[in-house]
C-alpha cells in the first residue's frame, strides 16, 4: 500500500516552498505538453540500425527491410517482399515507447514498385497489435503514385507505441510492392505503476486545497483482466464514487448511501467502452464542474447533469486508485482490485504516481 499525502498543518515557510514546488511541477507539465504539441516532429527512422527493421519476407538480400529508409538508395533502393500480396508487412522497432505524429512513404528507388494504399498498425510488445483508426473506422492511408515522390501524412491522433507496422493493401499493377518509409514524433515521457490485484495507491487530499466546484481526474490503464476497481472514494454514510472495469467495460458509479434522504434516480451508473481488457492503453478522463460531469473513455464521452448529487456526497479526503482499501464496504461492487498498469495519473494537475515514487 503506497500512501502519498500532503501536510495540512504546515508553517508559512514550508507552505510557500510547497506552493512554489507545485507551480514548478505544473509549469514543467505545461512545457512538456507544449513540446509534444508543437515540436514533436523529429525523424524517428533514418538513424535506426539495420536490426530495427523486419518484414514478412524479402525478394532478395538487396530488397531487405533495412533498405526501406526514406530517400535512401542503398541496395535495390527499398524493401520489396518475395510475393506481392496483402499478407506482407514492413515493421520498425523504435527502441522505446514513442509518440508518433506523422508518417511518410516512397516507392522503391528508380523502379516501378510502389504501394498505393496501406494500413498502419502499432504495438508496445511487437506481438499484440492494434490498427490505426480515424473517424471511428480502420484507416486506409493513400500511398504513392510513382517511385520517388514522398507522400506525407499527419496523423489526426498521435500514436504512443514502440513498434510500427506498414501493411500494403494495393500497389502499382505494373510493378510490385516497394516501400521506403519514415515516421515522425518524439520520445514519450510517462510515469507508470503496476498493480498486482492485491494493492492500491491512496492519495490523501489537502483539505485546504480542495475545490468543491471543480475536479479533474485523468489516467491511462492497460490490463488483461476483465474486472477490477480503478478508482474509489467513499464517505462516512456509504456515499461513494467508483470507477470499475466489469466484463471489459468501464463503469462510473455515483452512489448515495442514504436512500431515505435522496431519491433513487439520484444514483448514476454510466458505462462506456468494450473489450478494454485487450492489453492496450486506454485513456480515461473524469471532469466535474459544479454539477456537470463529463466521463470520457478513449474518444467516447458521456455528459450528464448530476442533479445535486455532488453537493450531497459526504466524501473522505482520500482517493484510492487500483482498489478499495477496506474490502466489503461498498455494497454490491465486485471488490476485485485492479491487475495491470496505470500511466500518468493526474488529480487536478497533481502527478499522483510521481508523488508516490518520491515519497
Amino acid at each position: 500500500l503506497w500512501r502519498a499525502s500532503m501536510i495540512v498543518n504546515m508553517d508559512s515557510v514550508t507552505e510557500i516552498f510547497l506552493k512554489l514546488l507545485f507551480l514548478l511541477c505544473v509549469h514543467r507539465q505545461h512545457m512538456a505538453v507544449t513540446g509534444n504539441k508543437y515540436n514533436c516532429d523529429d525523424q524517428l527512422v533514418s538513424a535506426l540500425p539495420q536490426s530495427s527493421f523486419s518484414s514478412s519476407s524479402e525478394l532478395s538480400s538487396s530488397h531487405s527491410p533495412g533498405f526501406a529508409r526514406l530517400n535512401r538508395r542503398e541496395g535495390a533502393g527499398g524493401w520489396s517482399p518475395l510475393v506481392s500480396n496483402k499478407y506482407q508487412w514492413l515493421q520498425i522497432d523504435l527502441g522505446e515507447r514513442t509518440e508518433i505524429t506523422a508518417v511518410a512513404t516512397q516507392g522503391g528507388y528508380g523502379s516501378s514498385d510502389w504501394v498505393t494504399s496501406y494500413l498502419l498498425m502499432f504495438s508496445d510488445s511487437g506481438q499484440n497489435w492494434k490498427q490505426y483508426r480515424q473517424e471511428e473506422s480502420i484507416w486506409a492511408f493513400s500511398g504513392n503514385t510513382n517511385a520517388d515522390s514522398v507522400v506525407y501524412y499527419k496523423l489526426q491522433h498521435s500514436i504512443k507505441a514502440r513498434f510500427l507496422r506498414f501493411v500494403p493493401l494495393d500497389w502499382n499493377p505494373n510493378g510490385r510492392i516497394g516501400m521506403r518509409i519514415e515516421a515522425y514524433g518524439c520520445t514519450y515521457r510517462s510515469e507508470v505503476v503496476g498493480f498486482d490485484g492485491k494493492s492500491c495507491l491512496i492519495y490523501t487530499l489537502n483539505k485546504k486545497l480542495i475545490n468543491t466546484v471543480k475536479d479533474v481526474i485523468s489516467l491511462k490503464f492497460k490490463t488483461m483482466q476483465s474486472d477490477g476497481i480503478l478508482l474509489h472514494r467513499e464517505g462516512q454514510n456509504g456515499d461513494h464514487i467508483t470507477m470499475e472495469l466489469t466484463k471489459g467495460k468501464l463503469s462510473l458509479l455515483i452512489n448515495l448511501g442514504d436512500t431515505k434522504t435522496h431519491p433513487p434516480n439520484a444514483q448514476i451508473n454510466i458505462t462506456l467502452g468494450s473489450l478494454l481488457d485487450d492489453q492496450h492503453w486506454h485513456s480515461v478522463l473524469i471532469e466535474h464542474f459544479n454539477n456537470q460531469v463529463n466521463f470520457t473513455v478513449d474518444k467516447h464521452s458521456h455528459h450528464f447533469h448530476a442533479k445535486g448529487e455532488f453537493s450531497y456526497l459526504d466524501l473522505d479526503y482520500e482517493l484510492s486508485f487500483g482498489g478499495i482499501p477496506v474490502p466489503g464496504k461498498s455494497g454490491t461492487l465486485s471488490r476485485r482490485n485492479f491487475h495491470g498498469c496505470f500511466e500518468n495519473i493526474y488529480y487536478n494537475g497533481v502527478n499522483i504516481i510521481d508523488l508516490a515514487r518520491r515519497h
Side-chain angles (χ1 to χ4, degrees), residues 250-300:
L250 200 58
S251 296
L252 177 65
L253 173 64
I254 301 172
N255 184 73
L256 293 145
D258 190 354
T259 56
K260 294 180 181 180
T261 57
H262 307 305
N265 62 2
Q267 300 186 15
I268 296 175
N269 191 353
I270 305 298
T271 300
L272 286 178
S274 63
L275 303 177
L276 300 177
D277 51 346
D278 59 356
Q279 207 179 357
H280 286 290
W281 287 106
H282 298 282
S283 59
V284 180
L285 177 65
I286 303 173
E287 301 170 290
H288 157 223
F289 301 95
N290 294 319
N291 287 341
Q292 182 66 36
V293 182
N294 301 327
F295 179 39
T296 303
V297 178
D298 295 330
K299 302 182 186 72
H300 305 284

Side-chain angles (χ1 to χ4, degrees), residues 64-293:
S64 68
F67 296 120
R69 295 177 176 86
L70 201 73
N71 293 321
R72 302 285 282 272
R73 303 180 180 181
E74 293 88 352
W79 165 73
S80 287
L82 180 61
V83 178
S84 291
N85 59 34
K86 295 184 180 181
Y87 301 102
Q88 308 300 323
W89 46 263
L90 171 65
Q91 181 177 312
I92 53 174
D93 177 1
L94 298 171
E96 61 180 345
R97 196 153 178 250
T98 304
E99 181 168 6
I100 300 106
T101 58
V103 292
T105 60
Q106 275 177 311
Y109 172 71
S111 71
S112 57
D113 306 334
W114 60 82
V115 170
T116 57
S117 69
Y118 62 94
L119 298 178
L120 188 64
M121 304 180 73
F122 56 97
S123 170
D124 287 333
S125 63
Q127 297 178 343
N128 191 21
W129 293 90
K130 196 169 186 177
Q131 293 172 317
Y132 177 78
R133 302 176 69 90
Q134 193 167 300
E135 299 175 2
E136 303 304 322
S137 61
I138 296 172
W139 189 255
F141 292 78
S142 297
N144 300 90
T145 56
N146 57 52
D148 294 309
S149 297
V150 175
V151 175
Y152 173 92
Y153 192 93
K154 180 74 172 178
L155 300 182
Q156 189 178 85
H157 309 288
S158 65
I159 295 170
K160 284 84 173 177
R162 174 177 170 176
F163 296 89
L164 277 182
R165 180 176 283 188
F166 295 78
V167 181
L169 292 177
D170 294 293
W171 47 92
N172 179 20
N174 298 317
R176 60 173 64 246
I177 292 173
M179 293 192 84
R180 288 176 286 171
I181 55 98
E182 181 60 89
Y184 303 86
C186 57
T187 300
Y188 181 64
R189 303 296 182 187
S190 66
E191 296 274 4
V192 178
V193 62
F195 291 85
D196 60 3
K198 301 176 182 179
S199 58
C200 59
L201 186 152
I202 296 177
Y203 175 59
T204 304
L205 286 70
N206 185 337
K207 298 181 182 180
K208 292 182 179 180
L209 299 179
I210 288 179
N211 185 345
T212 58
V213 176
K214 176 183 176 182
D215 265 327
V216 180
I217 300 172
S218 65
L219 59 86
K220 288 187 176 182
F221 73 91
K222 178 170 67 172
T223 181
M224 294 179 65
Q225 304 298 317
S226 59
D227 301 278
I229 300 289
L230 276 74
L231 169 70
H232 184 75
R233 189 177 178 189
E234 188 150 344
Q236 300 297 324
N237 299 315
D239 299 1
H240 60 85
I241 300 175
T242 304
M243 185 167 63
E244 182 178 15
L245 194 64
T246 305
K247 296 181 179 179
K249 299 180 180 181
L250 200 58
S251 296
L252 177 65
L253 173 64
I254 301 172
N255 184 73
L256 293 145
D258 190 354
T259 56
K260 294 180 181 180
T261 57
H262 307 305
N265 62 2
Q267 300 186 15
I268 296 175
N269 191 353
I270 305 298
T271 300
L272 286 178
S274 63
L275 303 177
L276 300 177
D277 51 346
D278 59 356
Q279 207 179 357
H280 286 290
W281 287 106
H282 298 282
S283 59
V284 180
L285 177 65
I286 303 173
E287 301 170 290
H288 157 223
F289 301 95
N290 294 319
N291 287 341
Q292 182 66 36
V293 182

Side-chain angles (χ1 to χ4, degrees), residues 13 17 19 43 61 63 136 164 170 188-189 229 257 352:
V13 175
F17 171 75
K19 286 182 178 178
Q43 290 187 357
S61 59
H63 292 85
E136 303 304 322
L164 277 182
D170 294 293
Y188 181 64
R189 303 296 182 187
I229 300 289
I352 304 299

